[in-house]
Structures are given as structure tokens and as C-alpha cells.
Amino acid sequence: MEFLQGYLFGNTKFLDLLLLVMAIDIITGILKAVKKGCLFTKTAWIGYAKKIGVFCLIILANVIDQILNLNGWLAFTTVLFYIATEGLSILENLAEFGVNVPAAIRDKLKVIQEKSKEDKGCLLYTSPSPRDPKTS
């Protein structure tokens, strides 16, 4: 297992922190969805797929690092970028859940303000039922 991790991710620093931050983001996203009443959404599944894609990009960055002999710089920068992105997502989820966010941070994150104004609702994922009328 260590050989596989070393081959795919190299000695990329903060990979464990990224995993932790992603888990916290998923938990806060679930809390937000429960509050909105839309836990099982297509959007959530797309988000999980994106998180898998992040690790694919980190693997790619590690391979490029090894080819160009960058000593892990590219993979490390990629991980830091995604840690910051996940941190912003956690902050957004908490703000939408109702946790007070300091005004200085809230003002800097226009995304939180825009999403709270628009409140698009939930896109529930439902499989077609055989009883549903056929549309042509």
C-alpha cells in the first residue's frame, strides 16, 4: 500500500490535511442539506465525484513533478490550492447553516452573499418510476 501511495502521490505534503478538510466539507454540506430539507440531491453526488477528481489531479501533478523533476513543488501547490478551496466551501456551508461568520470574512466572500440572496433551492435526484407518465 505504501508503494502505491508513494508512486501515485509521492511525498506530497498535507495530503492527510486535505482528506480531513474534505471530510469536514462533506459533513457541513450534509448539515446544510438537512436544514434545507434536501439531503439526497444530484448536486451532492456531483460534489463527491469532484472530490475524486481532485485526487486524480493531484496524481497528475505528482506525475508531472516526477517527469520535470520539480521536487514535489507542483503537487504540493495543487494540494494547498484545494485545501484553501475546501476551507472556503466549509465556511460557506457553515454560514448557510446559520453559524455566525465574522463580518470581515463574510464581506470578502461574495459567494456567501450571492448564494443566500438567490437560494436556488434543491435539485432532488429521483429515478424515473415505471408509474411515471411517458413523455415524448
Side-chain angles (χ1 to χ4, degrees):
M1 190 67 165
E2 289 181 27
F3 170 75
L4 184 62
Q5 180 186 358
Y7 179 74
L8 294 178
F9 296 106
N11 291 328
T12 306
K13 297 177 183 176
F14 299 124
L15 200 57
D16 50 349
L17 179 60
L18 178 61
L19 272 171
L20 176 66
V21 174
M22 281 184 167
I24 294 170
D25 182 44
I26 290 170
I27 291 168
T28 57
I30 290 171
L31 289 173
K32 179 180 76 171
V34 167
K35 182 179 180 187
K36 284 184 163 185
C38 54
L39 184 57
F40 301 104
T41 64
K42 189 176 185 179
T43 306
W45 290 106
I46 292 170
Y48 302 146
K50 285 181 181 180
K51 291 187 187 314
I52 293 169
V54 165
F55 284 102
C56 291
L57 284 173
I58 293 170
I59 291 170
L60 178 63
N62 182 52
V63 170
I64 293 171
D65 260 340
Q66 291 176 8
I67 291 171
L68 299 178
N69 198 21
L70 297 174
N71 297 323
W73 178 84
L74 184 62
F76 177 65
T77 305
T78 304
V79 169
L80 287 181
F81 171 77
Y82 284 112
I83 288 172
T85 302
E86 293 293 327
L88 292 174
S89 179
I90 291 168
L91 190 59
E92 179 183 335
N93 289 341
L94 290 174
E96 288 185 33
F97 185 66
V99 174
N100 288 332
V101 177
I105 296 174
R106 189 176 55 241
D107 292 341
K108 301 289 181 201
L109 296 173
K110 296 177 184 176
V111 174
I112 293 173
Q113 294 172 348
E114 290 172 5
K115 285 210 175 209
S116 64
K117 287 179 185 176
E118 292 175 6
D119 194 30
K120 296 177 183 176
C122 303
L123 299 173
L124 292 177
Y125 176 75
T126 58
S127 299
S129 169
R131 295 172 284 185
D132 290 342
K134 301 242 183 215
T135 58
S136 353

